[in-house]
Amino acid sequence: MTDALKRVIDALDVETFLVCESEEEGKKLALAMMKNLGFKDVDLVFIEFIGSGARIRARAYMHRPGDQYGWLFAEEVKGND
Amino acid sequence: MTKKVLLSPLDPVHDIGLKMIKRGLNEAGLETKLLPPDTPAEEIIRICMEGSFDTLLLSRTLGYGVAELLARFVDLADAAGLRDNVRIGIGGMAVRPEIAAELGFDAGFGPGTTVEEAVAFVEGREYSPQENEIKKEKVDIASPYTYHYKNQKIGSLLEKITMQIIAWAANKTSPGVERAKLRENDWDYQAFLKKEDDSKFYKHYAQLCDQIPKDFYLKGVMHPKTRELSKDELISLNTYISNMQKQMKVKKLQHTKKLPIVWNQYGTGCPFMDIAHVKASEGWGADGVVHFDPSWGARTEGFLNGNLTHQEDGTVITPNNLYRIHRMLEKSTLWQVRAHRGLNTAETVVLAGKIGADLTKINICYGSLAAGTDPARLTIDAFHAIKYAAKYKMPFDVVTNEELTGVPAYKAFAGMLIVADLAVRLGAKPILQPLFAFSPEVMVSGQMDDNYIDFNAAKIYALRSIVDAPIWPGAPIGFLTQTEDRVQSSLSTALHALLATSLGVDAISIASADEAYSGGPISIPSKIDTLRGVEESFRFLGLAGIKPTEKAQIWQEQMVIGIENVLSQIAEQGDFVQSLYDGVLGSKEEGAFPGRAGYNTVREE
């Protein structure tokens, strides 16, 4: 996890519109997109497919309750991170 | 001598910001003149010099060519000698303070500048953000109410029922009651703060607990879903807290009306994450926060101890956890520790009271019909919990969550009124908590087929026609109307808040935009979403209102009749506890099942 991501208090949501042919495909694409972005603990909070594609809100948890929180131990964020 | 201020927009049309600042300057007793938009720079400088103005305030909204325009103005002002006697400030959407400073202006005001900042500049004094900081105070929503009955028939029925409960409870006790007594008599909060040895207390305490707390105290075995927070984590938390406290500010959600106050819940499982949640809630305007404990906590006799984090929803109640969260609260934040539904109800109230909670939550009927606790057990525990709530001056809400299982509102309200009446007789201050929810009752019967307003309004009208008591819809408002879509979810919460403020209730509990998402923990941004939505709804409505249709009146009358009938039945039976087992306040067909936790643990003293 980069220094900046350590400062994400709990979750990072990605909201976008995916061009797809069905809700099922949209779900697969959304989760694949999050994995491709390098996130491990991912889920799809919301999807609504209509006609041309799906509005989605995908989520990656950086810190779940009870984890060792990066933001508790965070140092100054390095510019090249 | 009164200072003279010339204001001039360097835009073809935009001068609203300067007009607002002009009003602020006039209210501060300063003399002002506002030039029309698009006045040439040379003209502004001439008027300023001829009129012997002390300060010139310019604004620029449009972004294109702003640097060149301002640089040219400064050159002209220098050439004319204006800067010798006049201080020049520049503000507006296109202005950044650093650009203004670079160009040689005396002050630069970027977007978000307040009128107070501009006034301070004109008056030549340092602007202190504190003068514009919101002052919040705790609101006691219960104290204005008399608890007098407007419906005498219902008042008389309640008296009969609650006197019977008081007589029933007189010679009974339970392990929960005994633990509460022990915590009340033998556990000293000041000694806890001084870290004095409490092993004697916990040796005795363990004897009154279930196996899990007993193993924890006697064998040092940790609950399987918990872990102790490390020393490093505790030290880091202190650093995080002290850094945060320096910059902490709070917002106020209410607009022209002072009520309703707004509550957020927390209970992530981890007291550290809870603190993060609480600070975000406070920052974005919540007036109060509610501590949620794990569901297993309600079915376990006894509390654990220490700095514990929990892997699932609900933060374990321990003195350390409550203390740590409490000391992080802003002075204006109300703190509620819910006690309402389980085997630790009475002790929760004692612990919360000693540590400094402002409110608690108790309801015999919900806890025993929809939350798994044996009716007799919860009645005796809640009876004592209410007495402790009175002692510690903690008002408590009586939530009607049994509506969510399918119990009709009138039955849930009958139960709520019984607990409220009992509380008043025991010297406590109950707060009525009807649900603003798309409940199973209305799903089946269709009262919300057209709108979400009428049936919720009917609830408030019905309760107001019965008793003069505070009302705090929850919990959360709009329950079961929200979806995983954060826009829909936030809007639905905001609209229910709009209805609540229109109905003039005292408080509301709101969910996060993650309310309907069950795949993981609630996120802090999702809490901010709904707080922002509610703030906007209060701003939108102001002192205006929402008008329900005539259905609200009809349903109000039906509800009151229903409540009367239920109370008559219980009064006639003469046994409140038995009526809970018999389904009078919610039957199995309606999804209400008398709980089993603590069954057969009530004994006579």
Side-chain angles (χ1 to χ4, degrees):
Chain A
M1 198 188 294
T2 65
D3 281 356
L5 286 176
K6 282 180 188 166
R7 299 290 186 99
V8 174
I9 198 146
D10 43 26
L12 189 145
D13 285 1
V14 175
E15 294 197 43
T16 190
F17 187 92
L18 293 176
V19 177
C20 55
E21 291 179 356
S22 67
E23 185 172 312
E24 207 46 48
E25 190 196 6
K27 277 182 194 171
K28 281 181 191 162
L29 285 169
L31 292 172
M33 177 186 74
M34 296 300 278
K35 295 274 183 192
N36 289 343
L37 287 168
F39 299 122
K40 291 178 183 131
D41 185 3
V42 299
D43 195 18
L44 188 59
V45 177
F46 170 70
I47 182 163
E48 184 176 30
F49 172 82
I50 297 175
S52 59
R55 179 176 161 237
I56 62 142
R57 183 183 182 201
R59 173 169 293 179
Y61 281 100
M62 303 293 122
H63 302 108
R64 284 179 180 258
D67 284 351
Q68 291 266 350
Y69 308 120
W71 43 266
L72 261 192
F73 302 95
E75 291 166 8
E76 203 168 322
V77 177
K78 296 184 190 95
N80 59 356
D81 250 329
Chain B
M1 200 173 144
T2 309
K3 285 202 171 180
K4 291 176 71 179
V5 185
L6 182 66
L7 303 100
S8 184
L10 296 177
D11 281 302
V13 287
H14 302 284
D15 65 349
I16 303 298
L18 280 184
K19 281 177 175 165
M20 288 167 66
I21 287 171
K22 182 181 189 303
R23 195 176 95 184
L25 293 169
N26 290 341
E27 283 169 2
L30 299 159
E31 191 182 324
T32 61
K33 181 182 173 74
L34 176 65
L35 297 178
D38 228 8
T39 304
E42 294 82 352
E43 184 77 2
I44 297 169
I45 291 164
R46 185 185 62 75
I47 293 169
C48 194
M49 293 181 77
E50 287 177 6
S52 301
F53 285 91
D54 304 290
T55 311
L56 173 61
L57 290 180
L58 301 166
S59 74
R60 176 71 185 183
T61 300
L62 301 176
Y64 60 86
V66 66
E68 294 77 7
L69 181 87
L70 298 184
R72 182 174 172 270
F73 191 94
V74 170
D75 289 346
L76 288 172
D78 281 339
L82 179 73
R83 307 287 298 278
D84 298 341
N85 301 311
V86 179
R87 296 168 74 228
I88 309 177
I90 175 84
M93 290 300 285
V95 175
R96 295 285 175 276
E98 52 276 15
I99 296 177
E102 208 172 291
L103 293 171
F105 284 91
D106 295 298
F109 303 105
T113 299
T114 61
V115 173
E116 290 77 11
E117 269 177 86
V119 173
F121 167 68
V122 170
E123 289 179 342
R125 60 184 167 81
E126 191 83 8
Y127 172 67
S128 159
Q130 281 91 346
E131 64 191 77
N132 204 33
E133 242 174 48
I134 290 163
K135 307 276 187 301
K136 281 180 85 168
E137 285 180 2
K138 285 183 181 178
V139 179
D140 177 1
I141 60 169
S143 64
Y145 290 92
T146 62
Y147 295 98
H148 288 160
Y149 287 104
K150 298 173 195 168
N151 183 319
Q152 297 307 325
K153 187 180 174 191
I154 287 182
S156 302
L157 288 167
L158 287 168
E159 183 181 5
K160 200 171 169 187
I161 295 165
T162 56
M163 292 312 286
Q164 182 270 319
I165 296 173
I166 291 168
W168 177 89
N171 62 343
K172 292 184 178 61
T173 188
S174 76
V177 172
E178 294 305 311
R179 278 195 310 280
K181 270 187 206 165
L182 187 67
R183 182 73 71 178
E184 170 70 3
N185 298 331
D186 292 0
W187 186 80
D188 181 46
Y189 184 48
Q190 295 308 318
F192 162 79
L193 292 176
K194 288 178 200 156
K195 297 183 179 171
E196 288 177 12
D197 179 31
D198 52 10
S199 54
K200 197 176 155 197
F201 168 81
Y202 282 110
K203 200 173 170 190
H204 187 181
Y205 182 83
Q207 303 310 316
L208 298 169
C209 293
D210 273 349
Q211 203 57 44
I212 287 178
K214 207 175 266 182
D215 286 348
F216 174 82
Y217 290 114
L218 303 180
K219 298 178 189 167
V221 178
M222 192 60 74
H223 183 280
K225 291 177 183 169
T226 64
R227 76 169 170 89
E228 191 135 22
L229 290 156
S230 70
K231 200 174 172 187
D232 279 355
E233 285 174 303
L234 293 169
I235 291 167
S236 300
L237 180 76
N238 288 338
T239 310
Y240 165 76
I241 285 168
S242 64
N243 290 339
M244 175 179 42
Q245 275 175 332
K246 287 177 205 151
Q247 60 207 38
M248 188 64 199
K249 284 182 187 168
V250 294
K251 200 192 247 192
K252 202 167 190 173
L253 297 178
Q254 294 77 13
H255 179 48
T256 39
K257 279 187 179 177
K258 288 184 178 168
L259 297 173
I261 59 168
V262 179
W263 288 84
N264 249 189
Q265 71 181 58
Y266 67 86
T268 63
C270 173
F272 289 12
M273 188 61 95
D274 284 348
I275 288 169
H277 274 241
V278 167
K279 297 320 283 183
S281 291
E282 288 175 326
W284 270 266
D287 301 289
V289 290
V290 187
H291 184 98
F292 268 47
D293 57 323
S295 54
W296 55 262
R299 294 190 295 275
T300 305
E301 298 269 17
F303 289 133
L304 303 176
N305 195 21
N307 297 294
L308 301 185
T309 184
H310 178 231
Q311 287 169 351
E312 294 173 6
D313 277 356
T315 301
V316 180
I317 291 181
T318 69
N320 301 63
N321 283 356
L322 291 186
Y323 152 77
R324 204 164 286 286
I325 292 162
H326 177 241
R327 79 186 177 108
M328 274 309 303
L329 298 171
E330 296 298 306
K331 281 188 183 138
S332 59
T333 302
L334 290 160
W335 187 40
Q336 182 187 42
V337 179
R338 65 175 191 169
H340 60 321
R341 71 208 197 288
L343 303 179
N344 299 307
T345 294
E347 193 190 348
T348 303
V349 177
V350 175
L351 199 54
K354 287 195 175 197
I355 293 176
D358 300 291
L359 293 97
T360 184
K361 184 187 267 283
I362 305 166
N363 187 0
I364 302 169
C365 306
Y366 160 59
S368 59
L369 294 177
T373 308
D374 172 61
R377 171 60 191 270
L378 194 55
T379 302
I380 191 63
D381 282 31
F383 176 83
H384 288 275
I386 291 169
K387 293 213 294 193
Y388 288 123
K391 185 195 163 184
Y392 286 102
K393 301 191 186 326
M394 287 191 288
F396 65 89
D397 73 76
V398 190
V399 66
T400 50
N401 275 6
E402 62 267 45
E403 277 189 71
L404 298 177
T405 70
V407 174
Y410 70 90
K411 284 194 179 181
F413 285 10
M416 170 170 65
L417 289 166
I418 292 169
V419 176
D421 187 272
L422 177 66
V424 173
R425 282 176 209 288
L426 296 177
K429 288 188 172 176
I431 302 166
L432 306 178
Q433 190 160 98
L435 298 193
F436 271 12
F438 188 44
S439 63
E441 177 190 14
V442 299
M443 287 180 194
V444 172
S445 307
Q447 292 96 328
M448 289 187 172
D449 282 356
D450 177 62
N451 64 67
Y452 291 140
I453 295 171
D454 292 337
F455 196 69
N456 286 327
K459 290 178 171 179
I460 305 303
Y461 296 160
L463 293 172
R464 286 223 177 103
S465 76
I466 293 170
V467 62
D468 180 46
I471 300 178
W472 169 2
I477 52 168
F479 198 63
L480 297 176
T481 67
Q482 290 108 343
T483 69
E484 291 93 339
D485 175 0
R486 79 184 179 98
V487 177
Q488 186 279 342
S489 184
S490 304
L491 181 60
S492 185
T493 293
L495 291 171
H496 282 83
L498 202 68
L499 176 62
T501 187
S502 172
L503 291 167
V505 301
D506 302 281
I508 51 173
S509 291
I510 65 164
S512 72
D514 275 349
E515 176 63 26
Y517 168 62
S518 56
I522 285 167
S523 73
I524 285 181
S526 75
K527 285 194 154 175
I528 293 170
D529 284 347
T530 50
L531 286 163
R532 282 290 296 114
V534 168
E535 181 185 20
E536 202 57 29
S537 77
F538 289 168
R539 177 66 186 87
F540 180 81
L541 196 69
L543 297 172
I546 293 170
K547 193 180 171 198
T549 75
E550 69 282 358
K551 291 269 181 65
Q553 193 67 34
I554 295 165
W555 287 330
Q556 171 208 339
E557 286 162 13
Q558 288 174 359
M559 258 180 233
V560 173
I561 292 167
I563 293 166
E564 275 181 21
N565 288 341
V566 172
L567 294 177
S568 296
Q569 212 180 324
I570 299 167
E572 202 172 307
Q573 188 178 356
D575 189 339
F576 167 72
V577 171
Q578 191 57 46
S579 71
L580 287 168
Y581 290 111
D582 293 345
V584 182
L585 287 154
S587 65
K588 289 173 183 168
E589 294 72 33
E590 290 158 342
F593 293 87
R596 300 287 297 169
Y599 177 70
N600 221 10
T601 56
V602 178
R603 60 180 172 79
E604 300 211 341
E605 282 184 303

